[in-house]
Amino acid sequence: MKTASKKAIGRKNPARAARAGNSDPAVDAVFNAYPKPIKAKLLALRRLIFDTATTTMGVGALQETLKWGQPSYLTTETKSGSTIRIDRIKSAADQYAVYFHCQTDLVETFRELYPTEFSYGGNRSILLNADDDVSEPALRHCVALALTYHQNKRKAARAK
């Protein structure tokens, strides 16, 4: 009965649908192990990723799992995007990051679009400070680009 109820809710509420069936106790344990200030920022980032997935055409439900011990978000339903990982930066107590596949041009694109809004870690991450206000529209746009990376590459290839 409880399962049927959750499925019905998931169908009616797109935000819940994007998370349906994706609760992983191992991921929850990783979030619970973070220091409070970073945990709050990472949980807000997690919400932003799920919210962006529900409002971005073609993304579908995300799978939340661990990759390299980091909370990771995959578009397994539609295969529309590249994996996004989030984590604190262990060498800097007040920093956290959004990681992208280093063999994509995502971070290069973000750098061109948002040269002053973010700091970047090579070709693989957006670096964030826990004390700073993050430009949510810019970050949401970057997340949407990652969640539609493969979908956009397929469209570009068909257009040639």
Side-chain angles (χ1 to χ4, degrees):
M1 182 78 172
K2 211 174 199 180
T3 304
S5 168
K6 280 186 183 176
K7 285 183 182 176
I9 291 170
R11 282 192 203 110
K12 291 178 185 174
N13 183 334
R16 291 211 187 268
R19 298 178 90 154
N22 293 325
S23 182
D24 185 339
V27 174
D28 291 337
V30 168
F31 278 108
N32 289 332
Y34 288 124
K36 275 189 178 187
I38 292 293
K39 178 181 177 181
K41 293 292 188 171
L42 287 168
L43 287 173
L45 184 52
R46 175 194 213 186
R47 281 189 300 277
L48 182 139
I49 292 167
F50 278 112
D51 290 347
T52 302
T54 63
T55 59
T56 303
M57 184 75 79
V59 173
L62 295 183
Q63 177 186 7
E64 181 178 50
T65 189
L66 292 179
K67 287 191 173 265
W68 299 283
Q70 299 168 322
S72 303
Y73 304 89
L74 295 76
T75 58
T76 53
E77 180 182 34
T78 62
K79 309 246 187 284
S80 65
S82 182
T83 300
I84 298 172
R85 295 177 292 119
I86 62 176
D87 200 1
R88 70 180 181 145
I89 298 175
K90 290 170 181 60
S91 62
D94 62 340
Q95 288 188 321
Y96 59 110
V98 187
Y99 295 96
F100 306 92
H101 194 292
C102 63
Q103 292 179 339
T104 67
D105 61 359
L106 285 166
V107 174
E108 179 182 331
T109 300
F110 305 157
R111 238 188 218 106
E112 290 172 13
L113 293 170
Y114 303 106
T116 59
E117 286 83 352
F118 302 116
S119 295
Y120 300 93
N123 62 345
R124 57 179 259 170
S125 64
I126 294 174
L127 306 174
L128 303 164
N129 290 310
D131 295 334
D132 294 346
D133 288 330
V134 174
S135 172
E136 186 175 320
L139 187 56
R140 192 173 287 275
H141 184 217
C142 293
V143 167
L145 289 172
L147 293 174
T148 57
Y149 180 78
H150 295 300
Q151 174 183 303
N152 293 338
K153 288 286 183 189
R154 287 190 294 264
K155 282 182 187 174
R158 276 185 252 145
K160 288 184 180 180

